Amino acid sequence: MTDSKYFTTTKKGEIFELKAELNSDKKEKKKEAVKKVIASMTVGKDVSALFPDVVNCMQTDNLELKKLVYLYLMNYAKSQPDMAIMAVNTFVKDCEDPNPLIRALAVRTMGCIRVDKITEYLCEPLRKCLKDEDPYVRKTAAVCVAKLHDINAQLVEDQGFLDTLKDLISDSNPMVVANAVAALSEIAESHPSSNLLDLNPQSINKLLTALNECTEWGQIFILDCLANYVPKDDREAQSICERVTPRLSHANSAVVLSAVKVLMKFMEMLSKDLDYYGTLLKKLAPPLVTLLSAEPELQYVALRNINLIVQKRPEILKHEMKVFFVKYNDPIYVKLEKLDIMIRLASQANIAQVLAELKEYATEVDVDFVRKAVRAIGRCAIKVEQSAERCVSTLLDLIQTKVNYVVQEAIVVIKDIFRKYPNKYESVIATLCENLDSLDEPEARAAMIWIVGEYAERIDNADELLESFLEGFHDESTQVQLQLLTAIVKLFLKKPTETQELVQQVLSLATQDSDNPDLRDRGYIYWRLLSTDPVAAKEVVLAEKPLISEETDLIEPTLLDELICYIGTLASVYHKPPSAFVEGSRGVVHKSLPPRTGSSESAESPEAAPSAGQAAEQPAVIPAQGDLLGDLLNLDLGPPVSGPPLAASSVQMGAVDLLGGGLDSLLRSDVGGSPAMGGGGGFAAPSPAVPPSMGAPLGSGLGDLFDLTGGVGTLSGSYVAPKSVWLPAMKAKGLEISGTFSRQVGSISMDLVLTNKALQVMSDFAIQFNRNSFGLAPAAPLQVHAPLAPNQSVEISLPLNTVGSVMKMDPLNNLQVAVKNNIDVFYFSTLYPLHILFVEDGKMERQMFLATWKDIPNENEAQFQIKDCSLSADAVSSKLQGSNIFTIAKRNVEGQDMLYQSLKLTNGIWVLAELRIQPSNPTVTDLELSLKCRAPEVSQHVYQAYDTILKN
């Protein structure tokens, strides 16, 4: 029998029964009672009334029971500090228990009880454990000091625990050393001024000795600590590098990145003339390349780090171009990052290879990726002068494809090439002018206008071309208006007689009819220049322009040096220093590389990290599913039912009427943002207030007590479908909505990407659902915190609940949605996958399962086949469990595996399943699925959920 039985009782008067059982003389009964208490506590019931009875059970030599009681204690000590003092004696006794596991357990729990009153009683037991003969107890006590410091720093300092911790760095056991280093680093982070980790050559030597024998997380702590040390000369730096280099071949990618960080820092101190320097460069390439064969998420982290390394030392990976070539099945975020690194590594030696790849990418289906590939061709032309000719002819070939977004990107890129190589490639202007009518993106229009203005003397009908843009002057974006103004003034200075009317027209549009201060100012400056001194105007407007360089998106050198010190942490993924995203009281120390010794830095300047603009262009574009625009005119306009309020917000949705003008009053833009949409409160996710290290977190709570990774309330890995376009821009006046649904730890959300493809700003967003089969409704308003500018996207996770009005839809999982913004109200419908409604407590007891299966009439049973699924029974079971489909039993009948499963929907409907798998016959990859349910209409959708989960 599994432990699930403890979670099934919900009787009244349960607390009194438990009290009696906890005070029972029978050990077994006591243990059962404590398990029931922990089960109730886990599902959120208040069992604090049993505190004295549970604490009485501490006096036991049964390790399992002790762990359970300690778990209870950690949870309720904060709310019952006076009662918690009762437990102190047991702690003191347990810290002297002959069993080292119990001593360590006591110390670990002491660190997790965050009650001021108790801490002073715990100092004595902790002091003993820090000097315990068992290394397991010492390593646990070391972490406990860090936790105690977090509760009461003064006490830890007064009791001399910090000195004891420093002594532990010389401990004979490597794990004790690693935990002591971790604890000191943690304390030092919250007190940047204190010189706790006073590293000297002797202590560094001890750390390096421990490094070889530690667990992987211990190695990370030690490597991170080494990275903060500044060697006294290049010989010491080289000796440390030699001893850290073997870590590069570790299986754990976090260890590899920490080792790379140490080597990158200490290489600063090595002279480039040394043989060892060259050897080290060669050794750094293979581990970085190996990281790229991991799963996509790890690849992305590795690529972001490689991006920094390549900017600092491009010579490390200069021969490894091929590993950055994009694979067809790479996710978009990996593709874009690889593309960026390819350009950084592009040189005369490999440019032909790179261009051939980029041309291939430019014919892909993924719009975002294609755009970036076209831009990359332009960056290659600017970076490697010898390749400019080939790049331009490649761009012209791409323009001939007449694919709209390719043409527009190519024109933007060619403008930059003209600026880098003036009077060289102007022969292509005629081809560009042929595509004038197809340009609808502001950046492409602005680039084309710049080209026409800059080379007006070579274009016969330049005035007509610019006049055609002038007709819709007020509808253009600011960027285009400014370019048009400058281009027409350039044209006037080159051909004054033919274009006098045109220049007067644009100047009056810019100064009298525009309310944009930048445009007005530029208009007035030109007007005054032209009217007072045309010669000066010519010198100003037609002056020689400086050539642009390829280093447009390098990270600024001091920031790059700081980020190199944070390789393997969040800072290296964000490409921002920790101070930019870590909130809270922790002082963030600014790190920098050690000063160089030996030869001066060579002037090789590597290519660089994505500019803010490019970093932002990363939403993945996925082909739209069939359009499901339902008739929403019967939209229920009652107030949406608000579910349990989200802790982060004080906002309630209120009565929102999406069809009438009711929303206008709600969304009227008060100063400081309205309370309903995107004002102060709101659901913005807070920045992570964590130290940016990706090393193992210091344990606390459940996982820490049992030394388990799993625990109660682990994240359920429910399958999330890729986002698809729900509302195309052409049907919503330029607003494109794509999205998907997800379920995480019991909460459902609708993950949306809103993209503004119109030419005006969008704001005042709100959302409402029609009544639907399962009562799905928004649990909070749609928060778009800033107005959505043209060509901008915003990602939003909208929490949903299932307490809305219910109406049976056809198909059952159809959801009709209305979205309002400052332009209009738009309707669309979409199908949500049923597995987002599978709840976490859907595991039925065996007896109950058998009884229910027999009870449901046979005509309710539906049979399905899941084609081409060659997974083993265990793989199927664990995959489905991630989406809350629970396996109750598994049998083997005549060589076939049978899985019996249950799931429960949010509205309480149970679905029972029998899944037949044929492991003995590899040619048969079809699974047979039988479903029984009291509401048979859901069976088809449950089957679709099975099919989707198992095939993704």
Side-chain angles (χ1 to χ4, degrees), residues 12 31 178 196 247 303 314 469 629 680 707 716 742 752 835 897:
K12 284 190 176 165
K31 193 157 96 181
L196 281 178
R247 299 299 107 213
L303 287 165
F469 282 106
L629 268 177
D707 269 347
S716 78
S742 62
L752 300 167
H835 68 262
D897 283 337

Side-chain angles (χ1 to χ4, degrees), residues 3 60 71 110 126 163 259 343 348 396 428 439 669 690 819 915:
D3 284 351
T60 174
L71 186 57
M110 278 163 28
L126 179 58
D163 297 327
I343 307 199
Q348 208 176 329
L396 287 177
V428 306
L439 307 182
S669 50
V690 291
V819 172
L915 193 58

Side-chain angles (χ1 to χ4, degrees), residues 76-223:
Y76 283 118
K78 201 156 189 155
S79 55
Q80 308 257 353
D82 297 332
M83 304 286 277
I85 290 183
M86 291 164 46
V88 167
N89 275 340
T90 315
F91 278 136
V92 176
K93 269 175 64 182
D94 281 357
C95 284
E96 294 175 359
D97 194 276
N99 182 345
L101 286 176
I102 289 184
R103 299 203 295 276
L105 182 65
V107 156
R108 183 182 287 125
T109 312
M110 278 163 28
C112 296
I113 294 182
R114 305 179 63 81
V115 177
D116 267 339
K117 284 185 182 176
I118 296 185
T119 43
E120 55 210 61
Y121 295 108
L122 305 180
C123 293
E124 225 28 66
L126 179 58
R127 182 175 286 107
K128 284 181 186 162
C129 289
L130 281 166
K131 298 204 161 79
D132 198 282
E133 78 261 9
D134 192 290
Y136 181 70
V137 180
R138 294 201 299 277
K139 88 178 178 76
T140 311
V143 176
C144 186
V145 174
K147 291 180 179 174
L148 197 57
H149 189 274
D150 201 31
I151 304 166
N152 189 340
Q154 197 54 50
L155 181 73
V156 171
E157 284 159 32
D158 296 346
Q159 293 281 344
F161 287 146
L162 295 180
D163 297 327
T164 318
L165 260 190
K166 288 180 191 171
D167 295 344
L168 285 181
I169 289 185
S170 313
D171 197 278
S172 56
N173 184 290
M175 269 322 294
V176 178
V177 176
N179 277 19
V181 167
L184 284 169
S185 306
E186 180 87 359
I187 295 169
E189 251 172 34
S190 55
H191 290 66
S193 53
S194 67
N195 188 15
L196 281 178
L197 274 162
D198 181 17
L199 297 172
N200 52 41
Q202 290 72 38
S203 55
I204 289 292
N205 195 26
K206 286 169 186 161
L207 292 183
L208 287 165
T209 309
L211 185 62
N212 298 327
E213 297 160 35
C214 273
T215 65
E216 46 198 26
W217 295 115
Q219 292 181 26
I220 292 167
F221 290 135
I222 291 178
L223 287 168

Side-chain angles (χ1 to χ4, degrees), residues 626-872:
D627 247 47
L628 297 160
L629 268 177
D631 173 14
L632 268 200
L633 292 174
N634 59 351
L635 190 65
D636 173 43
L637 293 180
V641 186
S642 216
L646 263 81
S649 165
S650 54
V651 184
Q652 288 294 319
M653 260 191 89
V656 178
D657 165 6
L658 279 189
L659 293 179
L663 254 191
D664 295 343
S665 57
L666 182 67
L667 303 185
R668 199 166 290 125
S669 50
D670 309 324
V671 180
S674 80
M677 300 285 150
F683 289 79
S687 297
V690 291
S693 170
M694 284 183 174
L698 293 183
S700 63
L702 293 176
D704 187 46
L705 185 67
F706 290 119
D707 269 347
L708 294 176
T709 45
V712 191
T714 48
L715 283 173
S716 78
S718 183
Y719 167 69
V720 181
K723 292 191 177 76
S724 56
V725 178
W726 289 340
L727 180 63
M730 56 195 291
K731 296 197 176 177
K733 301 185 182 173
L735 172 64
E736 183 187 272
I737 299 180
S738 50
T740 185
F741 294 88
S742 62
R743 181 183 187 91
Q744 210 100 44
V745 207
S747 53
I748 306 170
S749 52
M750 184 189 230
D751 302 324
L752 300 167
V753 176
L754 308 182
T755 305
N756 180 357
K757 297 198 170 176
L759 294 174
Q760 68 188 93
V761 172
M762 295 182 179
S763 59
D764 303 352
F765 287 85
I767 192 166
Q768 191 174 331
F769 295 175
N770 197 359
R771 289 184 293 183
N772 54 76
S773 310
F774 292 90
L776 276 176
L782 183 62
Q783 295 279 346
V784 180
H785 286 290
L788 197 54
N791 281 326
Q792 241 191 5
S793 294
V794 62
E795 293 194 26
I796 297 159
S797 186
L798 178 71
L800 307 181
N801 57 36
T802 50
V803 293
S805 308
V806 176
M807 176 173 81
K808 189 172 175 185
M809 302 295 285
D810 184 30
L812 202 63
N813 58 340
N814 190 14
L815 180 65
Q816 298 177 332
V817 183
V819 172
K820 179 185 189 299
N821 64 12
N822 58 333
I823 298 171
D824 206 343
V825 181
F826 309 106
Y827 306 103
F828 64 90
S829 63
T830 181
L831 300 175
Y832 49 88
L834 212 64
H835 68 262
I836 62 166
L837 303 172
F838 297 174
V839 295
E840 280 67 12
D841 59 349
K843 187 165 186 175
M844 212 180 240
E845 276 198 41
R846 283 189 182 198
Q847 300 306 321
M848 184 77 171
F849 181 92
L850 285 169
T852 313
W853 185 274
K854 287 175 186 162
D855 199 16
I856 296 174
N858 284 340
E859 54 265 36
N860 281 19
E861 184 169 344
Q863 308 274 355
F864 302 96
Q865 266 207 335
I866 298 172
K867 301 255 182 217
D868 303 325
C869 176
S870 50
L871 293 172
S872 70

Side-chain angles (χ1 to χ4, degrees), residues 393-530:
S393 65
T394 306
L395 289 168
L396 287 177
D397 292 347
L398 292 173
I399 288 175
Q400 297 308 334
T401 61
K402 299 288 186 213
V403 178
N404 190 314
Y405 54 87
V406 175
V407 172
Q408 307 209 54
E409 283 298 330
I411 286 176
V412 173
V413 162
I414 286 175
K415 177 204 78 174
D416 289 340
I417 294 176
F418 284 170
R419 286 212 45 196
K420 173 76 174 173
Y421 308 112
N423 306 319
K424 227 175 166 185
Y425 301 110
E426 280 71 21
S427 53
V428 306
I429 291 176
T431 317
L432 303 184
C433 291
E434 289 165 18
N435 294 285
L436 213 76
D437 300 337
S438 64
L439 307 182
D440 53 16
E441 292 170 14
E443 203 179 349
R445 290 172 77 84
M448 194 64 221
I449 291 168
W450 181 86
I451 291 169
V452 173
E454 189 68 16
Y455 300 103
E457 68 279 12
R458 306 182 188 204
I459 303 172
D460 301 334
N461 59 342
D463 49 345
E464 288 169 28
L465 295 178
L466 292 176
E467 200 167 359
S468 67
F469 282 106
L470 206 55
E471 288 159 12
F473 186 77
H474 287 306
D475 300 331
E476 299 285 7
S477 73
T478 310
Q479 185 184 6
V480 177
Q481 290 176 333
L482 287 165
Q483 278 297 1
L484 194 52
L485 172 60
T486 303
I488 290 176
V489 171
K490 283 180 187 170
L491 177 66
F492 172 70
L493 290 169
K494 290 173 182 178
K495 304 180 180 177
T497 47
E498 304 146 46
T499 52
Q500 205 158 351
E501 268 180 45
L502 191 60
V503 81
Q504 281 175 336
Q505 192 185 347
V506 77
L507 287 173
S508 75
L509 280 171
T511 53
Q512 289 159 21
D513 306 350
S514 167
D515 53 6
N516 181 318
D518 292 344
L519 190 62
R520 273 209 312 267
D521 287 355
R522 193 182 287 195
Y524 280 128
I525 287 172
Y526 284 153
W527 200 317
R528 284 175 191 153
L529 263 176
L530 293 170

Side-chain angles (χ1 to χ4, degrees), residues 300 303-304 307 324 326 330-344 361 366-373 376 379 610 614-621:
Y300 179 70
L303 287 165
R304 292 293 281 175
N307 205 325
F324 298 107
V326 170
D330 279 338
I332 181 70
Y333 53 89
V334 170
K335 285 181 175 175
L336 295 177
E337 208 53 44
K338 279 184 173 178
L339 205 49
D340 216 50
I341 295 170
M342 276 170 67
I343 307 199
R344 300 209 187 300
Y361 301 162
D366 196 322
V367 180
D368 261 31
F369 181 50
V370 171
R371 284 175 181 276
K372 188 116 185 205
R379 279 174 65 189
Q614 286 167 327
E617 321 174 338
Q618 289 194 3
V621 176

